[in-house]
Amino acid sequence: MSQVEERLAAQGITLPQPVAPVANYVPFVRVGGLVHISGQVSLDASGGVRGIVGEDVDMETAKGAARLCGINLVAQMRAACDGDLDRVVRVVKLGGFVQAGPAFFEIPQVVNGASDVMVTAFGDAGKHARSAVGVYRLPMNFAVEVDAVVEIR
């Protein structure tokens, strides 16, 4: 088990099997030392968090949804690193998308759920640049989607 997985396990986080793409794309693309990871939605074994944040989904549930996205991103990182998360040098950037209702503006606080997973997993190397955007709709009505750019060795 990698040091990263040990840190996650200490926080009660178990990585799932990476989710296969649902359309015509790949889960990640490596270009040199950078891995671009496709958006991961707020999916877990129970079906995940779906709905409009600020209407169907409250703030704490939405932040938990972003946490699921972060966990799913780390699972994809593990696949990109051939099972060895200690190969991650740096989380470079996250792009967070929140399916937000018209009166919901706390989008950055929601996306913190994914950012927190990166710092828990990778320490200072998990601190990243980020976008946090409210959107009208997300695929399959998921509440949150987050993509990433990661440097690996």
Side-chain angles (χ1 to χ4, degrees):
M1 181 181 286
S2 71
Q3 291 178 350
V4 172
E5 287 183 90
E6 288 175 8
R7 281 193 293 274
L8 290 170
Q11 296 297 316
I13 298 172
T14 302
L15 295 177
Q17 285 298 111
V19 176
V22 296
N24 189 17
Y25 63 93
V26 294
F28 56 84
V29 172
R30 183 171 180 176
V31 179
L34 294 180
V35 176
H36 296 257
I37 303 172
S38 296
Q40 301 297 299
V41 293
S42 49
L43 178 66
D44 64 6
S46 69
V49 181
R50 299 174 194 249
I52 298 170
V53 179
E55 293 180 5
D56 310 318
V57 178
D58 64 37
M59 171 63 141
E60 285 308 307
T61 304
K63 189 172 180 182
R67 181 177 185 272
L68 290 174
C69 295
I71 292 167
N72 291 333
L73 283 168
V74 176
Q76 292 290 0
M77 288 176 206
R78 181 176 60 187
C81 292
D82 300 317
D84 184 5
L85 282 167
D86 292 338
R87 290 179 54 200
V88 173
V89 174
R90 179 80 195 241
V91 178
V92 177
K93 185 167 192 231
L94 296 184
F97 305 91
V98 177
Q99 183 173 237
F104 187 81
F105 299 100
E106 292 80 15
I107 286 114
Q109 292 86 340
V110 169
V111 180
N112 281 345
S115 293
D116 292 346
V117 170
M118 299 305 134
V119 175
T120 295
F122 302 104
D124 283 344
K127 295 180 180 176
H128 51 273
R130 185 180 88 179
S131 299
V133 181
V135 298
Y136 175 69
R137 290 290 180 260
L138 286 174
M140 297 172 281
N141 197 34
F142 281 103
V144 182
E145 180 174 353
V146 182
D147 62 18
V149 177
V150 180
E151 181 184 8
I152 67 170
R153 61 177 105 86

